[in-house]
Amino acid sequence: MILDEPTIGLDVLSKQRLREFLIAERRERGTTLLLTTHDMGDIERLCERVLVVDHGRLAYDGTLGGLSTAVGAERVLTVDLDRPEPGLPTPPGTRAVGVQAGGLRHVFAFDTTGVTVGAVLADIARHAEIRDLTIAEPDIEDVVRRLYRSHRRP
């Protein structure tokens, strides 16, 4: 099934219903979807394999997760501590992004090919009590932008 910008102009509920239909169609009938779109939500929800074309040339062919790795995009871990720890050491395999609220909140960036979330958290827990955390995946639009920039010749 070939679809060109299938959810453009649809309201949120209609987008959801169309995506659910396409997922069910693929699962029940083994239908292959060829999707051309700029809607990153469609890509994240419908695609297992991603091809990025830049000015007629193939810039990437692989999984959506692999796309982030290909351009060196990082996950961002934000940890809130029980008590301020302004001198908290940076866990191995991470990059300190910032310290907020006098050391109550620490932000680290890391590439999951080099270190696991569990290892990072274990290292932090050796130095401080973790109250809460969030992990942000790389923004897919930023990842695609970075791919286009790296693919183009100066």
Side-chain angles (χ1 to χ4, degrees), residues 30-140:
T31 303
T32 297
L33 302 176
L34 177 59
L35 182 70
T36 60
T37 186
H38 291 89
D39 187 321
M40 294 302 159
D42 284 350
I43 294 168
E44 291 172 323
R45 289 171 184 83
L46 297 173
C47 300
E48 294 170 9
R49 180 177 174 201
V50 177
L51 287 89
V52 179
V53 178
D54 183 20
H55 289 92
R57 291 188 301 165
L58 186 62
Y60 177 79
D61 179 356
T63 65
L64 190 56
L67 179 57
S68 296
T69 303
V71 298
E74 299 173 307
R75 284 177 141 181
V76 176
L77 170 67
T78 302
V79 291
D80 292 332
L81 305 177
D82 203 34
R83 290 186 310 273
E85 294 286 344
L88 183 70
T90 301
T94 70
R95 178 174 57 81
V97 175
V99 178
Q100 302 166 0
L104 276 172
R105 175 171 284 174
H106 293 260
V107 183
F108 303 99
F110 63 100
D111 177 354
T112 56
T113 60
V115 65
T116 66
V117 174
V120 174
L121 290 174
D123 188 76
I124 294 169
R126 281 194 287 279
H127 302 283
E129 184 75 26
I130 299 171
R131 180 181 199 105
D132 197 8
L133 66 96
T134 59
I135 301 172
E137 296 294 329
D139 177 66
I140 187 64

Side-chain angles (χ1 to χ4, degrees), residues 9-26:
L10 297 180
D11 62 77
V12 176
L13 186 57
S14 296
K15 274 187 181 193
Q16 177 187 349
R17 286 183 180 153
L18 179 57
R19 288 171 179 160
E20 288 170 355
F21 166 77
L22 293 171
I23 290 168
E25 183 72 15
R26 187 176 63 210

